[in-house]
Amino acid sequence: MIGLAIGVAVILYLVFVYNGLVKARQVTEEAWSGIDVQLKRRADLIPNLIETVKGYAAHEKSTLEEVVALRNRAQAMPQGDVAGRAAVEGALSQALGKLFALAEAYPDLKANENFAELQRTLETIEGEIQMSRRYYNGAARDLNVKVESFPSNLIANAFRFAKAGYFEIANEADRAVPSVKF
């Protein structure tokens, strides 16, 4: 009788740990989806921003082309490539910083209401991307702790639960404030 009770307790514990791992994986996937939605919103805003700037800063073609190329690279990244996506998105953020720095040299552009609205919208989206990144990284941390901690790591290994990568900037240059020279 005691052996049966121990057996049932072990089985219930295994089910509890397995379900906790499944929940952590689902929260991580949902968090990644949140990042993806915000990045898509930003990518959709960029063409409007580029068109607005083109009319005022036609000779700043290289900056505009860089932003467009990075946007296209970001959209072409595979869904699950967290590290690759983080690298491209970091470079895109830096290029957008250069684009907004250009506005300082063009008073008419800076005063343009459409540009100002696009800039405010982009700033809002950037804030939401940061919140989404923090949420995702917290969910990834929770999953990783469960995958690596004893005894849940035994179940995680048996059922092939994998650690989630963090969404972080790997290139220190991407953290730097953009340098714009006229």
Side-chain angles (χ1 to χ4, degrees):
M1 189 58 132
I2 293 176
L4 180 62
I6 291 173
V8 168
V10 167
I11 290 172
L12 289 175
Y13 177 74
L14 293 174
V15 168
F16 176 77
V17 170
Y18 178 82
N19 287 341
L21 287 163
V22 169
K23 180 181 177 186
R25 182 176 56 198
Q26 291 301 316
V27 168
T28 302
E29 289 173 3
E30 181 263 336
W32 176 252
S33 172
I35 289 175
D36 202 42
V37 165
Q38 298 307 325
L39 294 175
K40 174 76 171 124
R41 286 182 60 209
R42 178 172 73 174
D44 290 347
L45 185 66
I46 289 172
N48 294 331
L49 190 60
I50 295 295
E51 288 303 315
T52 302
V53 173
K54 270 184 186 178
Y56 290 92
H59 65 280
E60 303 292 350
K61 188 175 180 182
S62 64
T63 302
L64 299 174
E65 287 173 350
E66 179 185 13
V67 170
V68 170
L70 287 168
R71 174 193 179 263
N72 292 340
R73 275 185 50 206
Q75 288 191 305
M77 292 298 296
Q79 173 73 15
D81 185 1
V82 175
R85 187 78 178 263
V88 172
E89 293 294 341
L92 180 57
S93 291
Q94 189 173 17
L96 285 169
K98 289 179 191 175
L99 184 67
F100 285 119
L102 286 175
E104 297 298 320
Y106 298 94
D108 291 343
L109 173 61
K110 193 174 176 182
N112 180 289
E113 186 56 39
N114 190 32
F115 179 77
E117 179 61 31
L118 289 168
Q119 188 173 17
R120 282 190 295 274
T121 302
L122 188 60
E123 288 170 357
T124 300
I125 291 171
E126 289 293 335
E128 291 172 4
I129 289 170
Q130 291 304 317
M131 287 189 301
S132 296
R133 285 178 181 166
R134 283 192 296 274
Y135 179 67
Y136 170 79
N137 284 339
R141 178 202 58 231
D142 293 345
L143 174 63
N144 293 346
V145 166
K146 288 183 179 197
V147 168
E148 291 182 338
S149 297
F150 182 80
S152 62
N153 66 338
L154 301 174
I155 297 166
N157 290 335
F159 289 98
R160 291 180 171 68
F161 282 87
K163 288 176 49 178
Y166 291 105
F167 195 102
E168 57 192 356
I169 298 174
N171 183 355
E172 285 299 318
D174 291 341
R175 295 180 200 271
V177 176
S179 171
V180 179
K181 296 177 182 145
F182 297 103

